Amino acid sequence: MEQHKYNIIDIARLAQVSTATVSRVLHEKGGYSKETETRVRRVIAECGFQLNKNAQGLRTQKSRNIGVIVPDITNEFFARIIRYLELFFLKHQYSVLICDSHEDIEIEQLHIRNLKEQQVEGIIYISGRNANPIQESAFSIPIVYIDRKPEDVHIFVHSDNRQGGYLAARELIEKQCRSILFLRDQKKASTIRQRRSGYLEALEEAGIAFQESWEIMTKSDYASVFKTVTNLLMQKGCFFDGVFATNDNMALACLHALHAQHIQVPDQVKIVGFDNVSISQFCHPALTTITQNTELMAEAAGDALLKRIHHELDKQEFIIPVSLCVREST
Amino acid sequence: MEQHKYNIIDIARLAQVSTATVSRVLHEKGGYSKETETRVRRVIAECGFQLNKNAQGLRTQKSRNIGVIVPDITNEFFARIIRYLELFFLKHQYSVLICDSHEDIEIEQLHIRNLKEQQVEGIIYISGRNANPIQESAFSIPIVYIDRKPEDVHIFVHSDNRQGGYLAARELIEKQCRSILFLRDQKKASTIRQRRSGYLEALEEAGIAFQESWEIMTKSDYASVFKTVTNLLMQKGCFFDGVFATNDNMALACLHALHAQHIQVPDQVKIVGFDNVSISQFCHPALTTITQNTELMAEAAGDALLKRIHHELDKQEFIIPVSLCVREST
DNA sequence: ATGAAAGCGCTAACAG
DNA sequence: CTGTTAGCGCTTTCAT
């Protein structure tokens, strides 16, 4: 194959036209005859010409790049959103620059600096459960937030967490649970608050009085949850017959802790998780859980960002519906 | 904050120097007095000036971008490699453009076209277990392959799969297994072939004669593996006391299939997986597995690519050591 | 130690 | 329908 990299001037020369015409053909702007078009296209194909995005971006002041900042790409839930985001923007001829912040403020700053240098036209900020206190002003670039409500006014999209909490609790109640733990991350986040209120709503609807002792706070990693649940069992026995955990990993740790104490799931205790990541389907018994629609979330965020870039949107909140996925743990 | 975007000319004017000097300060090239330096730096800081990578790339013909193509970012093993790659290149002032091919040749082409337009200086191609037959020539851009041996000469890095297979089988043998299944993806891939040969080596070393019926081929998704193992159990009973699965997901499916037939792990059958993804640590019983060192893989690949870009490397194979992680399934 | 100026590849306004 | 040309922001050679 050709070693030399062709530019638009080479193409113009070879096709015996001006660079303007080549550019017009390239972008299907019209204003050229059928013959010139075919001639130009043929030369482009023959040379394997590729547009130089740097030059284009410099000239047009539009990079067609957008940045995505995520706390941990290794987390399946985030990875899924990113996947759909990429697909969405590919369709719209934008490139996506993915930045894993490792929940480290310095790395995040480095990434943001880089995104600005890359002239991104917009940023999607996925904060997830572990919201960092980032600076939001001082930003002339449009930002769409996923999963986290920023302090000042902005665009953000998130699941219908309240509904999720409600569906989870209702499922447990329908399966005859009367003492339902709310096993949650100790961090305070709007997502958790919303899930809690849905859970409370379902309890109330069923005429079940919420007990303070049902709300179990813990660090959200597997080992911590396992220990918390085990301690609970040791100290107070199995005084509950249902658990709503605020994510699948916590639900799984809870499941194993119960199992280790010879408590049967779902016979003695039923469990509902949140997220519907693959682990919930491949554990034993498979977890009933709340599905967050990552595809819809990504599309809503992408749409919103594009609109924002084109000044067709100022501020808005997008709430993505969730659904109950019943498996073996209830 | 300032709304206007400053460029190097603005800075030059404000600092009463030429753009050349600003550029020199920016890149610490020397050739300026202490005073000018401080003056320039102050202006830069005050304005929040950010370099324009498009212009820089255009002028220098170096984008400082590298592309990473991956079949599925949702797969934790790949996601971990990406994470480390990002970190590595961040350190080296390169941006990483991550492309999820969805194992779809068309999407991959789109991504490759985009990477070329972005003027990437190199590409890291992670093919994983599901190698696509991609075009490798017709490429003037340096490529480093991870996990897959390309047909023509190139740079590639992969785990010591043979050693992994050997360690897995030896662990099983040491724990008194004498009939050890090799549960593998039906696809033929160099990684699997290597793991197989390590497994055979360990058997031979222990004086165990390999039986054809021990090699179980199956599609690698959870449901298929579950079905395959279940069928095996139905038809031939539990004629084995150990299983070496070529990845953790398969090992997990096997574990659950055994469990469903009331076969105890590790009492009756012991299992070793491969990869050491988080699921292997959070399942019950936790899986003994072979750890692939994703960090080292990423660093080797990054190093190699950088060297290749600077013409300091032509062709080479990098083999990354693996290790045995003993947990509860053996 | 510093500045002037050319030019990277492309687009778009303007001229014809 | 097509061409000419200025200029996007930056680096770098050559002068001074």
Side-chain angles (χ1 to χ4, degrees):
Chain A
M1 273 269 129
E2 306 303 326
Q3 195 63 335
H4 176 64
K5 242 187 196 167
Y6 292 89
N7 62 27
I8 210 171
I9 303 177
D10 298 325
I11 305 300
R13 189 167 22 76
L14 290 168
Q16 319 243 54
V17 294
S18 72
T19 60
T21 299
V22 176
S23 178
R24 285 192 273 255
V25 171
L26 232 31
H27 301 290
E28 307 182 15
K29 288 254 176 89
Y32 40 78
S33 67
K34 206 86 208 100
E35 297 107 65
T36 28
E37 172 170 5
T38 35
R39 190 147 35 90
V40 171
R41 287 208 186 287
R42 191 165 42 73
V43 175
I44 287 175
E46 276 170 8
C47 300
F49 165 77
Q50 304 264 153
L51 207 107
N52 183 325
K53 244 192 139 181
N54 280 337
Q56 186 184 44
L58 180 57
R59 173 62 229 233
T60 60
Q61 303 288 52
K62 267 155 191 27
S63 64
R64 295 202 82 81
N65 280 159
I66 78 112
V68 176
I69 301 175
V70 66
D72 180 5
I73 204 187
T74 265
N75 176 315
E76 189 187 330
F77 176 66
F78 299 140
R80 274 192 344 217
I81 294 179
I82 291 176
R83 224 169 181 226
Y84 288 117
L85 240 25
E86 247 204 357
L87 233 38
F88 175 89
F89 283 107
L90 200 61
K91 247 184 316 196
H92 291 266
Q93 326 249 56
Y94 273 81
S95 309
V96 175
L97 310 181
I98 297 159
C99 303
D100 188 324
S101 71
H102 293 237
E103 300 197 56
D104 176 316
I105 196 80
E106 280 189 40
I107 294 179
E108 183 170 303
Q109 299 295 358
L110 246 38
H111 277 307
I112 288 177
R113 164 176 207 88
N114 178 51
L115 289 181
K116 286 181 171 178
E117 290 184 354
Q118 299 265 12
Q119 313 295 117
V120 292
E121 296 179 32
I123 292 180
I124 291 182
Y125 191 95
I126 311 177
S127 55
R129 282 174 279 284
N130 310 293
N132 254 349
I134 69 140
Q135 61 354 319
E136 299 189 34
S137 39
F139 243 96
S140 45
I141 304 171
I143 309 184
V144 168
Y145 294 85
I146 292 186
D147 222 36
R148 163 168 174 275
K149 169 138 179 108
E151 297 77 40
D152 39 15
V153 196
H154 272 297
I155 301 172
F156 65 106
V157 356
H158 61 90
S159 282
D160 190 344
N161 289 297
R162 184 187 163 86
Q163 174 73 357
Y166 174 79
L167 290 174
R170 205 185 58 181
E171 161 75 3
L172 256 8
I173 293 166
E174 276 179 4
K175 298 282 173 72
Q176 310 307 327
C177 297
R178 288 298 171 270
S179 308
I180 303 171
L181 254 42
F182 179 54
L183 181 60
R184 53 162 288 190
D185 191 324
Q186 62 193 10
K187 296 206 193 89
K188 42 179 173 295
S190 56
T191 55
I192 294 177
R193 214 169 43 240
Q194 291 158 8
R195 288 170 202 185
R196 182 177 189 273
S197 84
Y199 153 87
L200 291 178
E201 185 182 332
L203 289 187
E204 189 176 342
E205 190 180 282
I208 299 175
F210 170 69
Q211 316 278 322
E212 291 283 347
S213 63
W214 292 356
E215 183 161 359
I216 311 296
M217 312 247 210
T218 171
K219 280 174 72 178
S220 64
D221 64 289
Y222 185 91
S224 300
V225 175
F226 191 94
K227 213 171 82 186
T228 301
V229 174
T230 303
N231 285 345
L232 193 68
L233 256 17
M234 298 300 207
Q235 287 164 22
K236 311 175 69 171
C238 188
F239 65 95
F240 51 88
D241 53 11
V243 179
F244 167 40
T246 49
N247 74 49
D248 284 339
N249 292 324
M250 294 176 70
L252 183 71
C254 174
L255 177 69
H256 288 168
L258 288 168
H259 185 260
Q261 301 301 318
H262 307 291
I263 295 167
Q264 299 302 313
V265 175
D267 301 340
Q268 294 170 262
V269 172
K270 304 192 195 316
I271 303 183
V272 179
F274 212 104
D275 286 352
N276 198 358
V277 290
S278 61
I279 203 172
S280 67
Q281 131 180 223
F282 298 141
C283 65
H284 192 84
L287 275 178
T288 292
T289 188
I290 301 296
T291 306
Q292 294 206 59
N293 195 325
T294 46
E295 183 169 6
L296 244 44
M297 291 177 84
E299 262 167 28
D303 261 336
L305 187 57
L306 250 29
K307 287 213 181 92
R308 185 78 161 83
I309 288 171
H310 300 126
H311 307 288
E312 296 159 5
L313 190 62
D314 186 30
K315 74 170 247 197
Q316 194 166 336
E317 172 178 0
F318 295 88
I319 304 179
I320 311 301
V322 297
S323 57
L324 175 72
C325 172
V326 179
R327 287 199 273 247
E328 303 158 6
S329 67
T330 53
Chain B
M1 273 267 129
E2 305 304 326
Q3 195 62 335
H4 176 66
K5 244 185 192 166
Y6 292 89
N7 63 26
I8 210 173
I9 303 177
D10 298 325
I11 306 300
R13 189 168 18 79
L14 290 168
Q16 319 243 53
V17 295
S18 73
T19 60
T21 299
V22 177
S23 178
R24 284 192 273 254
V25 171
L26 232 30
H27 301 289
E28 308 181 16
K29 288 256 174 87
Y32 41 77
S33 67
K34 208 87 207 99
E35 300 106 63
T36 29
E37 174 170 6
T38 34
R39 190 148 34 90
V40 171
R41 287 207 186 287
R42 192 165 39 73
V43 175
I44 287 175
E46 278 170 8
C47 300
F49 165 77
Q50 303 265 153
L51 208 108
N52 182 325
K53 244 191 138 180
N54 280 336
Q56 185 183 44
L58 179 58
R59 172 62 228 233
T60 60
Q61 304 288 53
K62 267 151 192 30
S63 64
R64 293 202 85 78
N65 280 159
I66 81 113
V68 175
I69 300 175
V70 67
D72 179 6
I73 203 188
T74 266
N75 177 316
E76 187 186 331
F77 175 66
F78 299 140
R80 271 183 0 210
I81 294 180
I82 291 176
R83 231 174 174 220
Y84 288 119
L85 280 174
E86 248 204 357
L87 233 38
F88 175 89
F89 282 108
L90 200 62
K91 247 185 317 198
H92 291 265
Q93 327 249 55
Y94 273 81
S95 308
V96 175
L97 310 181
I98 297 159
C99 303
D100 187 325
S101 71
H102 293 237
E103 300 197 57
D104 176 317
I105 196 80
E106 279 189 41
I107 294 178
E108 183 169 304
Q109 299 296 358
L110 246 38
H111 277 308
I112 288 176
R113 165 176 207 87
N114 177 52
L115 290 180
K116 285 182 170 175
E117 289 185 354
Q118 298 266 13
Q119 314 295 117
V120 293
E121 295 179 34
I123 292 180
I124 291 183
Y125 190 95
I126 311 176
S127 56
R129 280 175 281 283
N130 311 294
N132 255 348
I134 69 141
Q135 62 354 318
E136 299 190 33
S137 41
F139 245 96
S140 45
I141 304 171
I143 310 185
V144 168
Y145 294 85
I146 291 188
D147 220 36
R148 163 167 175 275
K149 172 142 176 104
E151 298 75 44
D152 40 14
V153 196
H154 273 295
I155 301 170
F156 64 107
V157 357
H158 62 91
S159 281
D160 190 343
N161 289 298
R162 184 189 165 85
Q163 175 72 357
Y166 174 80
L167 290 174
R170 205 185 56 182
E171 162 73 4
L172 258 6
I173 293 165
E174 277 179 3
K175 298 282 171 73
Q176 310 306 329
C177 297
R178 287 300 171 266
S179 309
I180 301 172
L181 254 42
F182 179 55
L183 181 60
R184 53 162 287 191
D185 192 321
Q186 61 194 11
K187 295 206 192 90
K188 40 179 173 297
S190 56
T191 53
I192 294 176
R193 215 169 43 241
Q194 290 159 8
R195 289 169 201 185
R196 183 176 188 275
S197 85
Y199 154 88
L200 291 177
E201 185 182 334
L203 289 186
E204 190 176 344
E205 189 180 283
I208 299 175
F210 169 70
Q211 315 280 320
E212 291 283 346
S213 63
W214 291 356
E215 182 161 0
I216 312 296
M217 312 248 210
T218 172
K219 281 174 73 178
S220 63
D221 63 288
Y222 184 91
S224 300
V225 175
F226 190 95
K227 212 171 85 185
T228 301
V229 175
T230 303
N231 285 345
L232 193 69
L233 255 17
M234 297 301 206
Q235 288 165 21
K236 311 175 70 171
C238 189
F239 65 96
F240 52 90
D241 54 11
V243 179
F244 167 40
T246 48
N247 71 51
D248 285 339
N249 292 323
M250 294 176 70
L252 183 71
C254 174
L255 177 68
H256 287 168
L258 290 167
H259 184 262
Q261 302 300 318
H262 307 288
I263 295 167
Q264 300 300 315
V265 175
D267 300 341
Q268 294 170 262
V269 172
K270 303 193 196 315
I271 304 184
V272 179
F274 211 105
D275 286 353
N276 198 359
V277 290
S278 60
I279 202 171
S280 67
Q281 130 181 224
F282 298 141
C283 65
H284 192 83
L287 276 177
T288 292
T289 188
I290 301 297
T291 307
Q292 293 206 61
N293 195 326
T294 45
E295 183 168 8
L296 245 44
M297 292 176 85
E299 261 166 28
D303 260 338
L305 188 57
L306 251 30
K307 287 213 181 92
R308 184 77 160 85
I309 288 171
H310 301 125
H311 307 288
E312 295 160 4
L313 190 63
D314 187 31
K315 73 170 249 199
Q316 194 165 338
E317 171 178 359
F318 296 87
I319 303 179
I320 310 301
V322 297
S323 58
L324 175 71
C325 172
V326 179
R327 285 199 275 248
E328 303 160 4
S329 67
T330 54

